[in-house]
Amino acid sequence: MLPVGSTLQMGKYRIERYLASGGFGNTYVAKNVNFGVDVAIKEFYMKGITQRDGATQTVSVSNPENAGLFEEQKKKFWKEANLIYRLPQSTHIVRVSDLFEENGTAYYVMRYINGKSLAEKLKEGGDGPRRLPQKDVYGYVVQVLDALEVVHQNGIFHLDLKPANVMVDADGTAMLIDFGASKQIMSDGEVTETAPPLTPGYAPPEQMEQNTEKLGPWTDLYALGATIYNLLTAKKPPQPFEIMANGEAALDFPEDIFPNMKQLVVKLMKPIRKDRFQSVDEVRKWMAKNIKKPEKLPSTIDDGEEEDVTVVMPKSPQKEKPAPKPSPKEAASPGERVATPSSDENVGDGNNQKAWLNKRTIIIAACTFVAVLLALFLFKSSPSGTETDNPAMNDNQEVAEASANEEPQTVENMKTSNQFLGECIYTGPVDSDQLPHGIGKAIFTQGDAKSYEGPFVHGEMEGDQAVYTYKNGDVFTGTFKDNHFAEGKYTTAQGEYFVGKFDKEGTPTEGTWYDKNGKEM
């Protein structure tokens, strides 16, 4: 290694410390003395082929027979730096700022990323690899897709995407690094001919065959799927032949992984390249359609330890509390009341209360079972055979899939609190984070609301056939979306009612008001 304190480019760069090594180079943290900033410097150095003179720091070939190989690889190292340098500016691609020859070898200078690779983040638990939270993984995927889009639009394939080649700085910004294996499409449409190196588990069949004519954006997208798998499971991705032989069973996911996160990996890691996503844009569109609310993905990991049932959720905007009674002309927003729903009415520890809750829970569970069977029948009968064009049905399918895959435990009279529900007593199924998840009931202990009975998705009120009751006697029945009324019937204590749709604030929009006798108002 270059010793700490040695300089390059006539003192412009001073080596501060050694960072890492690979088969074709050493990386150092250095100081740009002119500007007083840290940079990363990669030195071309072939393990087993080259040697360094301790006095002069000159790099030479230990065996003259390898001189040709050394020069050939040094040219590729030079091309790698040029390739990165010429890419358009991107927040998610490491930048190259200088390139030169010295000490008998080549160097290029990059931005120093003060952070860790995703591979290092997997090891932060201490006792072996520890998977990352799904919400974090989703965020990294979005950023890596931005990087791949720039790379692919400039006719380049990275060909070595893996957790070790994605750096994350202190602000959570992910950056794609190490373009040593990358290949560029030539002006005639051909790909550079040299057989690219690969990392087992992250390389699809066309790359393992070393067939450059079959390489494309889909090759990097396979590696992206393998990277996601590794981050979600802390396991090595299976080889393509294992997926061919065992299908999706080769991808062994923990039970708490969201169904559509699993499906994203499955679709990215299709062994046959034509079955995969063909572009970054296709991946983005699929994610937008199927992972509609990434902010609801778990931000913690179920490590098997018992946790306190009090749940702290990210802060949600608080809305102004409306008048207690909606009217046709100046309707109070039912959805605005959802911001602080709660009540301590009808909450007790007596046997009658407990028996009543048990009875209601059994009735709700039975109704839910029938509803799920009906939903599955309708889903199977849809023309596509996979998903419908009705967003509500797709949402319900997503909830049903999540509930089926997570196998949540059931709690009774659990005290819980979060920004969406406020403080309440909850009975029903919960997910691995002890959040209400499935068909359950919350009896509120504060505020204007009395209770909510219906579907929950990871702590939020979401789904059809919900009943939301206020202390003043107002009741909403219908569909909840993002913790507010979406579509259904809102009945006041005086008997007037609104039937129709509500906006994202929960305010009645499309629909009709009726008086207590059912006459349109």
Side-chain angles (χ1 to χ4, degrees):
M1 305 300 165
L2 285 173
V4 172
S6 59
T7 61
L8 297 167
Q9 287 291 279
M10 300 178 65
K12 181 179 179 181
Y13 303 109
R14 183 178 66 244
I15 302 299
E16 299 287 305
R17 69 179 186 274
Y18 162 78
L19 196 60
S21 290
F24 290 87
N26 304 314
T27 305
Y28 308 89
V29 177
K31 181 78 71 178
N32 183 321
V33 177
N34 293 341
F35 296 108
V37 296
D38 286 339
V39 295
I41 296 182
K42 188 171 182 180
E43 174 188 53
F44 178 63
Y45 191 94
M46 296 180 68
K47 282 185 178 178
I49 301 293
T50 52
Q51 59 188 5
R52 189 190 306 277
D53 185 301
T56 64
Q57 307 307 324
T58 300
V59 173
S60 61
V61 179
S62 52
N63 187 337
E65 293 181 0
N66 292 322
L69 176 62
F70 175 81
E71 290 301 324
E72 179 186 348
Q73 293 300 322
K74 189 171 72 171
K75 286 180 182 178
K76 290 181 183 179
F77 181 88
W78 194 270
K79 286 181 180 179
E80 174 190 345
N82 269 279
L83 190 118
I84 305 171
Y85 179 80
R86 297 180 191 283
L87 284 173
Q89 289 282 347
S90 171
T91 304
H92 304 295
I93 298 176
V94 66
R95 300 304 306 168
V96 167
S97 59
D98 203 354
L99 173 64
F100 55 89
E101 288 200 32
E102 194 168 336
N103 296 332
T105 189
Y107 299 84
Y108 65 76
V109 182
M110 302 171 285
R111 172 189 169 185
Y112 170 61
I113 303 169
N114 184 18
K116 296 181 178 180
S117 72
L118 290 179
E120 291 172 316
K121 282 188 166 291
L122 283 168
K123 299 175 183 177
E124 285 183 330
D127 300 328
R130 187 172 188 270
R131 56 198 181 103
L132 303 186
Q134 295 178 66
K135 189 173 182 179
D136 292 357
V137 173
Y138 182 94
Y140 297 139
V141 170
V142 171
Q143 296 181 72
V144 172
L145 283 172
D146 287 345
L148 288 178
E149 182 176 52
V150 173
V151 170
H152 295 166
Q153 285 178 348
N154 285 271
I156 298 167
F157 314 134
H158 187 277
L159 302 183
D160 199 19
L161 174 56
K162 56 187 176 183
N165 284 341
V166 178
M167 292 292 297
V168 180
D169 67 15
D171 296 325
T173 301
M175 278 165 272
L176 189 59
I177 65 170
D178 199 344
F179 284 71
S182 61
K183 297 296 163 218
Q184 189 166 17
I185 304 173
M186 310 309 290
S187 59
D188 59 1
E190 294 296 317
V191 180
T192 48
E193 284 301 322
T194 52
L198 54 85
T199 302
Y202 297 88
E206 68 269 19
Q207 190 176 359
M208 297 182 73
E209 293 171 9
Q210 299 186 347
N211 188 337
T212 56
E213 292 180 359
K214 294 180 180 179
L215 300 180
W218 48 85
T219 308
D220 285 338
L221 294 177
Y222 181 98
L224 176 63
T227 297
I228 300 171
Y229 177 81
N230 184 223
L231 299 180
L232 290 176
T233 66
K235 301 173 185 175
K236 291 182 179 180
Q239 295 276 26
F241 69 83
E242 295 178 273
I243 301 176
M244 288 178 180
N246 301 307
E248 295 182 19
L251 298 163
D252 184 18
F253 289 98
E255 291 184 358
D256 62 345
I257 302 300
F258 262 34
N260 286 343
M261 285 292 281
K262 296 179 187 177
Q263 193 61 23
L264 175 60
V265 175
V266 170
K267 292 177 75 67
L268 284 166
M269 294 187 70
K270 292 286 186 182
I272 299 174
R273 69 183 191 283
K274 291 182 180 179
D275 292 342
R276 262 174 258 149
F277 294 111
Q278 299 295 291
S279 68
V280 167
D281 188 54
E282 284 187 16
V283 180
R284 282 209 187 104
K285 287 179 179 177
W286 189 92
M287 290 173 67
K289 182 178 180 181
N290 295 279
I291 309 177
K292 300 174 183 177
K293 298 168 187 173
E295 68 276 5
K296 295 180 183 178
L297 290 169
S299 57
T300 57
I301 300 170
D302 180 14
D303 55 9
E305 297 179 2
E306 290 189 11
E307 298 179 4
D308 195 289
V309 296
T310 299
V311 181
V312 179
M313 295 293 287
K315 221 171 184 182
S316 62
Q318 295 299 303
K319 304 177 181 66
E320 207 174 294
K321 192 182 294 182
K325 174 181 175 295
S327 67
K329 294 183 179 179
E330 189 177 353
S333 168
E336 289 179 344
R337 298 184 183 186
V338 178
T340 56
S342 30
S343 165
D344 33 277
E345 290 185 6
N346 299 328
V347 179
D349 295 324
N351 292 330
N352 290 338
Q353 172 71 11
K354 190 169 183 179
W356 180 82
L357 281 172
N358 284 338
K359 185 182 293 184
R360 292 297 296 271
T361 301
I362 292 169
I363 294 171
I364 294 166
C367 293
T368 303
F369 178 74
V370 173
V372 169
L373 286 179
L374 179 58
L376 287 173
F377 173 78
L378 291 174
F379 171 75
K380 291 294 184 181
S381 302
S382 67
S384 65
T386 53
E387 43 183 43
T388 74
D389 293 327
N390 185 328
M393 289 185 70
N394 285 334
D395 282 346
N396 292 338
Q397 176 194 346
E398 194 171 312
V399 172
E401 287 178 353
S403 298
N405 279 277
E406 291 189 10
E407 298 181 356
Q409 68 180 92
T410 300
V411 298
E412 187 172 345
N413 295 337
M414 178 184 80
K415 293 181 180 180
T416 187
S417 173
N418 67 46
Q419 290 293 330
F420 304 121
L421 298 177
E423 294 182 5
C424 65
I425 306 295
Y426 175 75
T427 296
V430 294
D431 64 12
S432 58
D433 293 322
Q434 294 293 299
L435 293 173
H437 188 64
I439 306 298
K441 180 169 183 176
I443 300 177
F444 303 112
T445 55
Q446 291 180 353
D448 297 331
K450 179 179 178 180
S451 64
Y452 169 88
E453 192 169 350
F456 293 83
V457 178
H458 298 291
E460 298 192 35
M461 297 172 283
E462 179 91 16
D464 299 333
Q465 300 179 4
V467 179
Y468 194 94
T469 306
Y470 288 99
K471 287 179 181 178
N472 69 352
D474 291 0
V475 177
F476 169 82
T477 57
T479 302
F480 260 75
K481 186 175 180 62
D482 291 330
N483 288 299
H484 66 72
F485 311 154
E487 186 170 1
K489 180 179 179 181
Y490 186 93
T491 306
T492 71
Q494 290 73 31
E496 299 169 349
Y497 60 94
F498 171 85
V499 178
K501 297 181 179 180
F502 301 76
D503 65 16
K504 64 181 180 180
E505 300 300 327
T507 304
T509 53
E510 302 175 32
T512 306
W513 276 98
Y514 299 87
D515 64 19
K516 62 182 179 181
N517 297 316
K519 184 178 179 180
E520 187 173 331
M521 298 174 66

